């Protein structure tokens, strides 16, 4: 079927072949294939002059709406809101800055809670180191092995505190990954490195009885790093109150550390039992004296930093506890002068450690109190920042709400009218006008209600004027639709009248040709008459095409079912190169009488196209298949060069949905007619590439067509291939004669004289 359609779905427009399509014509006539019946159209003759190629002038396209962000494309509500944008944006910006500051404060205070917990763990580790240093000073100085319980118990406690501290640093690592607390993380890394030296300090702890300060100072450096860590953490929050409280805690923790140093130095100098005086080297005494002075200095700094309430907080140390006072006086007398230890009462290291531990424990309780105050203050500051952020956000929302409500109230009065105008316009464009056009095309325009309903917007502003203008446009569109419907009706009437007149003349011509055929004995003259007969048959089919274009039903109908094989033979009898058509296998099914004429017409168009666009030396094979559900599939195979996938897709789309009748239909009338006829009876048609080359046309007959008009399908059978004998010739001739004669009742198939070339599929034409 190659050549029948161009890529855009239009038909090939080759000139009509000489001699037309005659049922008795010679097969050699097909060597000059003619106009495509599916897509054929009128073209100028080969010898005619061609018009010069003058490209059409394209009309200037109207300007588009422009980019979406253009001011003219903004919605009215958007424009009104934009008027309020400047003051609202200014207020929102200021509020957002305030909220952002509050959120930063909240984030810092969240970090402060994390840092406070870390400070607490650092303090606990510092206390454990002090306890280890002071508790092991006496036993190790007196020669007790490090694996004894007195030493291992305090060291195990330190190891547990160290593990807990290092585990807490992981949370700081996670927070510093986002760019925060990076300075604190560096300090923690440095402290972790110092803690790795704890094993070295333990190995040499108190190995020199005359230089206990060396061991004490090693522990002191670790403890000082832990104490200073709290100040680094507070500075990371940039909150003055938290920095002040952290500095106070650091000062008091330092004072406690210096008090612990004195406990360790004196404990290392005392004997295990109070049976003799201890020995305190001058170097250790001076070291402890310096710690005593530093304790007093840090206590003074703490009172200055903490402010009011510092004396009340430390009154348990300064007064009221005789054990603490006795321990302080003993340490002062021992450290005031060289050899002061030998002038005091004899004490064991354990007695001194227990006595001075009372003071250290009391200071630890104060330290815990300071930590609790830090935590409480951090919580209060966080709550205040959250409340401030909520208030600022509420104010911003209030300003935005008032602005938007004002804009909404102003815009609502405008939008309601515009929306009504839009809805009416959409309803008219999508429903009212299409429905009106449909009614005008299906009935007399004078019987259709063409009144126009007003939009209903009667305001005096610009919107009301636009609504009035739209009503005028609507009335004019309805008037034009009525005129177009009347014009189409007139055109269809002209098509119908021309077709009826032509068919009458062609029918008289066919009768005259039949009469001449019956009298003629000369084979050459008879062959010419056959050609005229066949050409007249094709002319009649073209006249029927005009009826299809006009939407008219065929005037001739069968009242009884007709065998499918007879329908196929009748369709082949209307094809110029009928002798190339070969029926391979046709099921023994009946075609509903109401569909016979249209189906013959449809199949004739497909067969004409298949023979015109395939080699004259090839056959066009027609097969039928009865499907289990009662439908029948007819396949028409040719061996042309085939069609491209794009052309096939375009053709199948037009067959499935025939376009509106316009001037282009005259150039592809066969395609339009086949689509209209198939749509009229629910027949599905599709073109596909053939496996052996060429194109295959698939015609699917529905159940109510393929089963003689019955709804319930029977069990179809497959007939034997057509042999083309005399009985087949007479049967096909009956259908062809009925289409020629225009009978309504349907003659008895298989009876009567052959209609111009009776033996269509079996051999040479037969004459009676």
């Amino acid at each position: 079927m190659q050549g029948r359609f161009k890529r855009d779905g239009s038909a090939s427009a080759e000139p009509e072949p000489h001699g037309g399509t005659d049922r008795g014509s010679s097969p050699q006539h097909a060597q000059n294939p003619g106009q495509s019946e599916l897509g054929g159209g009128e073209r100028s003759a080969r010898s005619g002059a061609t018009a010069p190629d003058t490209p059409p002038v394209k009309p200037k396209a109207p300007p588009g709406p422009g980019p979406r962000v253009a001011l003219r494309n903004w919605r009215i509500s958007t424009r009104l809101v934009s008027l309020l944008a400047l003051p609202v944006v200014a207020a929102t910006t200021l509020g957002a800055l305030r909220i952002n500051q509050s959120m930063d404060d909240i984030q810092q205070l969240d970090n402060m809670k994390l840092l406070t917990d870390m400070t607490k763990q650092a303090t606990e580790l510092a206390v454990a180191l002090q306890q280890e240093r002071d508790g092991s000073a006496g036993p190790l100085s007196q020669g007790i092995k490090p694996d004894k319980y007195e030493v291992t118990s305090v060291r195990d406690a330190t190891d547990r505190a160290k593990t807990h501290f290092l585990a807490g640093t992981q949370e700081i690592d996670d927070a510093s990954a986002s760019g925060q607390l990076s300075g604190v993380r560096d300090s923690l890394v440095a402290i972790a490195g110092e803690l790795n030296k704890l094993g070295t300090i333990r190995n040499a702890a108190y190995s020199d009885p005359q230089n206990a300060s060396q061991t004490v100072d090693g522990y002191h450096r670790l403890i000082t790093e832990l104490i200073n860590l709290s100040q680094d953490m507070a500075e990371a929050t940039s909150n003055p109150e938290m920095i002040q409280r952290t500095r106070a805690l650091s000062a008091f923790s330092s004072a406690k550390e210096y008090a612990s140093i004195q406990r360790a130095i004196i404990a290392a100098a005392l004997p295990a039992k109070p049976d003799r005086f201890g020995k305190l080297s001058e170097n250790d005494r001076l070291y402890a004296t310096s710690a005593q002075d530093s304790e007093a200095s840090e206590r003074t700094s703490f009172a200055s930093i903490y402010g009011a309430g510092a004396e009340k907080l430390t009154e348990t140390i300064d007064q009221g506890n005789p054990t603490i006072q006795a321990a302080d006086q003993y340490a002062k007398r021992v450290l005031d002068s060289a050899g002061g230890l030998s002038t005091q009462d004899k004490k064991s290291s354990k007695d001194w450690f227990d006595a001075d531990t009372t003071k250290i424990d009391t200071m630890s309780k104060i330290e815990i109190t300071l930590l609790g105050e830090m935590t409480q203050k951090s919580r209060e500051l966080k709550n205040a920042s959250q409340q401030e952020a909520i208030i600022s956000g509420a104010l911003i929302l209030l300003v935005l709400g008032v602005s938007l409500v004002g804009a909404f109230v102003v815009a609502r009065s405008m939008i309601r009218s515009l929306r009504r105008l839009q809805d009416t316009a959409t309803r008219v464009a999508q429903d009212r006008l299409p429905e009106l056009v449909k009614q005008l095309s299906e009935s007399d325009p004078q019987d259709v209600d063409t009144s126009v309903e007003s939009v209903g917007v009667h305001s005096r502003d610009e919107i009301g004027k636009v609504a009035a203008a739209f009503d005028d446009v609507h009335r004019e569109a309805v008037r034009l639709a009525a005129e177009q419907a009347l014009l189409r009706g007139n055109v269809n009437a002209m098509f119908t009248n021309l077709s009826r007149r032509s068919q009458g003349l062609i029918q008289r011509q066919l009768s005259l040709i039949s009469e001449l055929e019956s009298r003629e004995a000369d084979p050459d003259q008879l062959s010419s008459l056959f050609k005229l007969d066949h050409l007249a048959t094709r002319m009649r089919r073209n006249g029927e095409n005009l009826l299809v274009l006009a939407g008219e039903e065929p005037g001739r109908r069968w009242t009884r079912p007709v065998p499918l094989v007879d329908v196929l033979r009748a369709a082949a009898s209307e094809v110029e190169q009928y002798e190339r058509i070969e029926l391979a296998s046709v099921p023994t099914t009946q075609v509903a009488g109401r569909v016979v004429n249209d189906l013959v017409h449809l199949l004739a168009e497909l067969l004409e196209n298949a023979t015109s666009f395939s080699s004259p030396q090839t056959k066009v094979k027609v097969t039928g298949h009865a499907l289990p559900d009662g439908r029948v599939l007819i396949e028409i195979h040719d061996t042309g060069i085939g069609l491209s996938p794009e052309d096939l897709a375009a053709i199948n789309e037009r067959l499935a949905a025939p376009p509106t009748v316009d001037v282009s239909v005259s150039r592809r009338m066969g395609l339009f007619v086949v689509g209209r006829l198939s749509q009229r009876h629910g027949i599905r048609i599709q073109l596909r590439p053939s496996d052996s080359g060429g194109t295959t046309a698939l015609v699917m007959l529905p159940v109510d067509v393929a089963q003689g008009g019955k709804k319930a399908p029977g069990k179809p059978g497959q007939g034997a291939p057509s042999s083309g004998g005399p009985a087949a010739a007479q049967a096909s001739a009956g259908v062809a004669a009925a289409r020629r004669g225009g009978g309504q009742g349907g003659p008895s198939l298989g009876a009567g004289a052959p209609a111009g070339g009776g033996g269509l599929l079996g051999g040479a034409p037969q004459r009676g």
Side-chain angles (χ1 to χ4, degrees):
M1 293 187 180
Q2 175 61 24
R4 67 187 65 170
F5 306 113
K6 296 182 181 178
R7 187 171 294 274
D8 62 352
S10 63
S12 169
E14 296 184 9
E16 186 75 21
H18 291 293
T21 53
D22 187 84
R23 288 170 292 180
S25 60
S26 172
Q28 284 77 9
H29 178 72
Q31 294 178 358
N32 182 18
Q35 170 182 337
S36 167
E37 288 299 326
L38 278 183
E42 295 182 1
R43 293 284 299 269
S44 60
R46 294 178 185 266
S47 60
T50 58
D53 292 337
T54 57
V57 179
K58 295 184 179 179
K60 185 177 180 181
R68 187 177 181 84
V69 296
L71 182 61
R72 65 176 181 271
N73 293 329
W74 290 12
R75 300 179 62 181
I76 291 180
S77 58
T78 304
R79 300 181 189 184
L80 292 176
V81 170
S82 65
L83 295 176
L84 303 174
L86 184 59
V88 170
V89 167
T92 303
T93 301
L94 294 176
L97 292 175
R98 186 66 177 270
I99 293 176
N100 185 59
Q101 181 63 37
S102 299
M103 297 304 295
D104 289 341
D105 293 342
I106 292 173
Q107 182 61 44
Q108 289 184 358
L109 292 170
D110 284 337
N111 292 336
M112 190 61 211
K113 181 180 182 302
L114 181 62
L115 297 176
T116 301
D117 295 339
M118 198 72 239
T119 300
K120 182 178 179 181
Q121 296 174 8
T123 302
E124 291 175 353
L125 178 57
V127 170
L129 288 171
Q130 291 170 352
Q131 192 72 16
E132 176 184 337
R133 177 188 61 192
D134 302 351
S136 63
L140 291 176
S141 297
Q142 296 157 13
I144 296 178
K145 299 292 185 181
D147 56 355
K148 296 299 182 181
Y149 176 76
E150 294 88 339
V151 179
T152 57
S153 60
V154 293
R155 288 185 176 180
D156 291 342
T158 301
D159 292 338
R160 289 192 295 271
K162 175 184 174 183
T163 302
H164 189 204
F165 172 79
L166 294 177
T169 59
Q170 182 61 40
E171 297 183 12
I172 302 296
D173 288 339
D174 296 338
S176 63
S178 59
Q180 302 173 349
L181 306 180
S182 57
V184 175
R185 182 180 178 279
D186 295 340
S187 299
L188 289 174
V189 171
I191 292 174
E194 292 295 328
L195 289 175
N196 291 332
K197 300 177 182 179
L198 182 59
T200 304
I201 297 174
R202 286 174 174 176
N203 292 333
Y206 303 106
S207 58
D208 185 0
Q210 300 299 318
N211 195 10
S213 59
Q214 181 178 2
T215 300
V216 173
D217 188 64
Y219 280 98
H220 173 66
R221 285 194 297 271
L222 292 177
I223 295 170
T224 301
E225 291 285 345
L226 293 171
I227 293 173
N228 293 335
L229 178 63
S230 61
Q231 295 191 52
D232 296 338
M233 293 181 176
E235 291 175 357
T237 65
S238 302
N239 187 280
E241 292 189 47
M242 294 302 298
I243 292 175
Q244 178 184 359
R245 292 183 178 275
T246 306
R247 288 178 59 198
L249 173 64
S250 177
F252 190 81
S253 296
S254 297
K256 183 169 75 77
E257 163 62 9
Y258 289 121
S260 177
I261 287 175
Q262 300 171 52
R263 183 176 64 171
I265 291 293
I266 296 176
L270 292 174
K273 295 181 180 181
D275 54 354
R276 55 186 179 85
F277 293 104
K279 295 180 180 180
L280 180 62
S281 65
E282 183 64 15
N283 183 47
D284 291 345
R285 185 184 72 82
L286 294 175
Y287 187 84
T289 301
S290 175
Q292 196 175 47
D293 296 338
S294 298
E295 177 189 359
S297 175
E298 294 294 338
R299 288 286 302 276
T300 303
S301 298
F302 166 74
S304 174
I305 296 172
Y306 190 84
E311 294 182 358
K312 183 177 181 180
L313 187 63
T314 60
E315 63 182 359
T316 54
I317 303 174
D318 298 333
Q319 54 185 341
N321 193 320
T323 304
I324 295 176
Q325 293 178 356
D328 286 344
Q329 292 174 1
Y330 181 80
K332 182 175 178 58
R333 290 195 299 269
V334 168
L335 300 176
D336 277 347
S337 61
L341 185 61
S342 59
T343 62
Q344 303 303 313
D345 297 337
K346 295 180 180 179
K347 280 190 176 183
S348 65
S349 60
K350 184 172 180 12
D351 293 337
W352 158 249
F353 180 84
D354 293 341
D356 202 45
T357 297
T358 302
K359 176 183 177 181
I360 301 299
D361 290 345
T362 303
M363 296 182 76
S364 296
K365 293 178 181 179
I366 297 174
E367 199 173 41
I368 293 173
T369 301
L370 293 174
L371 283 170
E373 291 178 354
M374 286 178 57
T375 303
Q376 179 64 25
K377 189 62 179 178
S378 174
R379 188 179 298 111
E380 292 175 358
L381 291 173
K382 180 179 179 180
N383 292 337
S385 297
Q386 289 177 339
Q387 185 176 5
E388 183 178 358
I390 293 173
I391 293 174
S392 299
L395 290 176
I396 292 176
L397 292 177
L398 180 62
V399 171
L400 289 175
V402 172
S403 302
L404 293 177
V405 168
F408 174 77
V409 172
V410 175
R412 186 170 179 268
S413 61
M414 302 173 61
I415 294 176
R416 290 179 62 184
S417 299
L418 288 173
R419 188 166 294 165
R420 183 168 185 176
L421 177 59
Q422 176 189 359
D423 293 342
T424 303
T426 302
R427 186 170 60 254
V428 168
Q430 297 181 356
D431 299 327
R432 168 65 175 158
L433 281 180
E435 181 63 26
L436 181 62
V437 171
K438 181 180 179 182
Q439 293 177 5
L440 290 172
S441 63
E442 294 176 352
S443 58
D444 190 347
Q446 297 179 355
D447 299 335
V448 179
D449 181 14
T450 57
S451 61
V452 174
E453 181 182 356
S454 176
V455 174
V457 179
H458 307 292
S459 59
R460 297 182 179 180
D461 60 355
E462 289 81 357
I463 301 176
K465 294 179 181 179
V466 172
F470 177 78
D471 289 340
D472 295 338
V473 172
H474 188 187
R475 281 189 287 269
E476 185 65 16
V478 171
R479 186 185 67 81
L480 292 176
E483 291 183 357
Q484 291 293 326
L486 183 60
L487 179 60
R488 284 195 300 271
N490 292 336
V491 171
N492 289 340
M494 287 189 293
F495 279 168
T496 303
N497 291 333
L498 289 174
S499 177
R500 298 300 186 195
R501 287 170 179 261
S502 298
Q503 283 185 321
L505 295 174
I506 293 172
Q507 191 59 45
R508 291 169 58 187
Q509 180 181 4
L510 285 171
S511 299
L512 179 59
I513 293 173
S514 296
E515 183 179 353
L516 293 175
E517 289 175 347
S518 63
R519 299 175 184 174
E520 185 62 51
D522 185 359
D524 294 333
Q525 294 296 330
L526 186 61
S527 176
S528 298
L529 290 174
F530 286 166
K531 291 180 181 179
L532 289 175
D533 192 347
H534 204 101
L535 180 59
T537 302
R538 294 182 63 196
M539 292 172 62
R540 184 196 62 201
R541 195 168 74 237
N542 284 335
E544 292 177 348
N545 287 346
L546 292 178
L547 290 178
V548 176
L549 293 181
E552 294 289 335
E553 296 286 339
R556 306 178 310 279
R557 289 201 177 191
W558 289 78
T559 58
R560 299 194 305 274
V562 177
L564 178 60
V565 65
D566 294 340
V567 172
L568 290 172
R569 288 169 178 154
S573 70
E574 298 189 8
V575 177
E576 178 183 8
Q577 304 177 54
Y578 63 88
E579 71 282 350
R580 292 175 51 205
I581 299 174
E582 176 182 318
L583 287 181
S585 176
V586 180
T588 57
T589 184
Q590 303 282 327
V591 177
R594 59 182 173 80
V595 190
V596 168
N597 282 315
D598 286 344
L599 184 57
V600 170
H601 191 168
L602 183 152
L603 293 172
E605 296 284 354
L606 294 174
L607 290 171
E608 181 75 41
N609 200 72
T611 57
S612 298
F613 295 97
S614 60
S615 175
Q617 289 75 32
T618 61
K619 294 289 186 179
V620 174
K621 186 176 181 181
V622 181
T623 60
H625 308 279
L627 303 181
D629 58 1
R631 296 180 298 168
V632 172
L633 176 64
I634 300 174
E635 300 183 11
I636 301 175
H637 305 272
D638 66 46
T639 55
I641 61 175
L643 290 165
S644 66
E646 295 81 4
D647 291 339
L648 283 175
I651 294 170
N652 287 327
E653 182 179 358
R654 289 181 175 272
L655 289 174
T660 305
V661 178
D662 55 17
V663 68
S664 64
V665 170
S666 63
R667 295 192 297 269
R668 43 183 175 269
M669 187 179 299
L671 170 66
F672 181 86
V673 169
V674 169
R676 275 289 180 89
L677 292 176
S678 63
Q679 196 175 51
R680 179 182 295 173
H681 301 291
I683 300 172
R684 293 177 56 191
I685 300 178
Q686 189 177 49
L687 302 184
R688 293 182 181 178
S690 179
D691 295 337
S692 58
T695 304
T696 298
L698 303 179
V699 181
M700 180 67 73
L701 304 182
V703 176
D704 59 341
V705 172
Q707 300 300 323
K710 299 178 182 178
K711 297 298 182 181
K715 185 176 181 181
Q718 289 289 339
S722 175
S723 61
Q730 291 182 352
S732 61
V735 181
R739 278 180 55 80
R740 285 181 42 175
Q744 296 290 331
S748 176
L749 299 182
L760 298 177
L761 303 178
Q766 303 291 326
R767 295 299 300 164

